[in-house]
Each structure stands twice: as C-alpha cells, then as structure tokens.
Amino acid sequence: MGNIDIRQLLLDSCRTGTWVVAICEILILLLLYRKYEDKKKTMILCMALITLGLVVDALVISNGIILGSYMELLTRIRFVAHGVLIPLILPICGYALNAREGFMRFLWILTLLVMAAGAAEGFATKFELVRIAGVTRMVASEETPQWANYITMGLSFGMVIPMLLCGLVAWIKQKNGNLFFAAFFMFLFSALGPATGNTDLIFYVSMFGEVLMVLFMYLYASKKYRKH
C-alpha cells in the first residue's frame, strides 16, 4: 500500500466532515440537555452552552456555500458566541473540583470579564471570504485590530490549559479522567493542522477536537453525578 496523502484526504472529506461534526455536536447537546434536566447542575448547563456555541459554529461553516448575503451576519454571531461561551470552561473547572463558594464567585467574575472581552473581539473582527475544499466561510481579515487577534488566540488556547490542569487533578482525586481527555483532544487536534503542514485546514481538523472535547465533558459529568 502507498503512503496516505493526509492533505488530500482532508480536502476530499471537508464538506462532508463539517456536516458530520455538526450532527455529532447536536446529538451531544441533546444528551447534555437531558442530563441537565435530570441533575440540575450548573456545570452541566455550562457544558451544554459551550456545545450550543460549537453547534452554531459548525452549522455556519457547513452551510457557508448557501448562506449568501446572510453569511457575514451569521459569522458575526458565530464569533461573538465563541467569545462569550468558551470562557464557561473556567466555572466548569471550579465545579469539577468542588471549589468553595468564595472561589466560585471569583471565578464567575473572571469569567464575565473574559466573556466581555470575547464579545468585544467578536464585534471588532473584520471578515474576508475564503473558499477551500468546497467549504465557503468568512475568516478574520488583516484589517482586524491586533488586540482582537490576541483575544482570539487567548480564548483558543488559554481556556484549554486550565481544563487540562483541572482535568489532571480530577483524574487523580476523583478517578475520573474524562475532563483531562476533553482538554487533551482539543489541544491535540488544534495542533495537528500546523504539525501536518495543513495550517489552512486548522478550522476543519480542530472541529474533531471540539467534538471529542464536548463528548468527554459529557462523560465526565455523567460519571461525576452518577450517584447523586
């Protein structure tokens, strides 16, 4: 057998793959919603809201070719939703480690501040149209203020690190490694694009990391609250 052309495989599967990701995230969102209805835990609600943001993201990307004049508006919503919802990882970490009430108040204040920065980044971003592998989407252009780019990078990578560390603590203390794997796979798939020379396909490769992240979040919550 010859060597597998990874880039060609990614290009050939891109349009279908984005739809597969969207469907998987919708299913996980439904599972989280049912879990929240059953347990009424704020941590699970935060997980569901993050998943909802990723569903919006995946649906806009997978339908970009038919959105037409609505694409910029929906992309704006996608960016703002990402900026506002991803910081919910911080309180998730706090609830996962059963943090005290005073520390949780601090975490929520910090989360609200990061949310405000994320929303500002989403509104300030300037867009340009990009087409690759049958997928049409809008991305941040060079006209985007540098501070907004810094916030984007901070949200993409800075939120994974706390979850990775908290997930490790939870694995050791609670014998529940799912939160660690949620962060690990998100980090891994975010790095796979550049590592394989497919920087222009980071948006696609990282989508699979997002699916695994919310799946393992669900598995973590299911195990944590199984006996409660």
Side-chain angles (χ1 to χ4, degrees):
M1 294 178 65
N3 294 329
I4 298 175
D5 188 337
I6 295 177
R7 180 169 179 79
Q8 194 59 50
L9 180 63
L10 291 172
L11 291 171
D12 290 343
S13 65
C14 195
R15 263 190 91 176
T16 302
T18 54
W19 266 106
V20 171
V21 165
I23 292 169
C24 288
E25 289 175 348
I26 289 171
L27 292 175
I28 296 169
L29 176 61
L30 293 174
L31 289 172
L32 283 165
Y33 175 75
R34 289 184 61 186
K35 183 66 65 177
Y36 175 70
E37 283 289 292
D38 180 35
K39 303 298 183 182
K40 300 299 183 183
K41 297 294 184 179
T42 306
M43 186 185 77
I44 300 174
L45 178 60
C46 291
M47 292 175 172
L49 289 172
I50 288 173
T51 306
L52 176 62
L54 295 177
V55 167
V56 171
D57 185 81
L59 288 175
V60 172
I61 290 175
S62 60
N63 287 282
I65 198 169
I66 61 173
L67 293 179
S69 60
Y70 294 101
M71 185 181 295
E72 184 169 352
L73 173 61
L74 292 173
T75 300
R76 180 78 61 198
I77 293 172
R78 178 169 74 89
F79 270 66
V80 172
H82 179 271
V84 170
L85 296 177
I86 289 299
L88 290 173
I89 285 175
L90 294 176
I92 286 173
C93 291
Y95 290 120
L97 298 184
N98 302 313
R100 294 180 180 179
E101 185 177 342
F103 187 72
M104 284 307 305
R105 280 199 294 267
F106 164 76
L107 266 185
W108 272 112
I109 291 171
L110 178 60
T111 300
L112 291 173
L113 291 174
V114 179
M115 283 179 162
E121 167 263 328
F123 284 114
T125 301
K126 306 297 182 182
F127 300 120
E128 64 180 359
L129 198 65
V130 171
R131 293 185 178 89
I132 185 170
V135 173
T136 301
R137 63 195 186 97
M138 300 197 83
V139 301
S141 72
E142 293 182 357
E143 296 179 5
T144 299
Q146 194 60 41
W147 63 265
N149 290 326
Y150 288 143
I151 292 174
T152 301
M153 291 177 61
L155 289 173
S156 297
F157 296 101
M159 292 293 102
V160 176
I161 295 172
M163 184 163 59
L164 197 66
L165 296 175
C166 289
L168 184 60
V169 174
W171 196 354
I172 294 170
K173 290 189 173 183
Q174 303 169 12
K175 310 302 180 186
N176 187 349
N178 289 303
L179 193 63
F180 173 84
F181 287 115
F184 172 77
F185 283 116
M186 186 65 253
F187 183 83
L188 176 65
F189 279 82
S190 295
L192 274 179
T196 58
N198 294 291
T199 304
D200 56 339
L201 291 171
I202 288 177
F203 79 95
Y204 176 47
V205 178
S206 64
M207 289 175 79
F208 292 95
E210 293 166 354
V211 170
L212 290 171
M213 179 181 74
V214 293
L215 173 61
F216 277 97
M217 280 183 174
Y218 169 75
L219 293 175
Y220 175 80
S222 295
K223 186 173 182 179
K224 180 176 176 65
Y225 296 119
R226 183 170 51 197
K227 297 179 182 179
H228 297 278

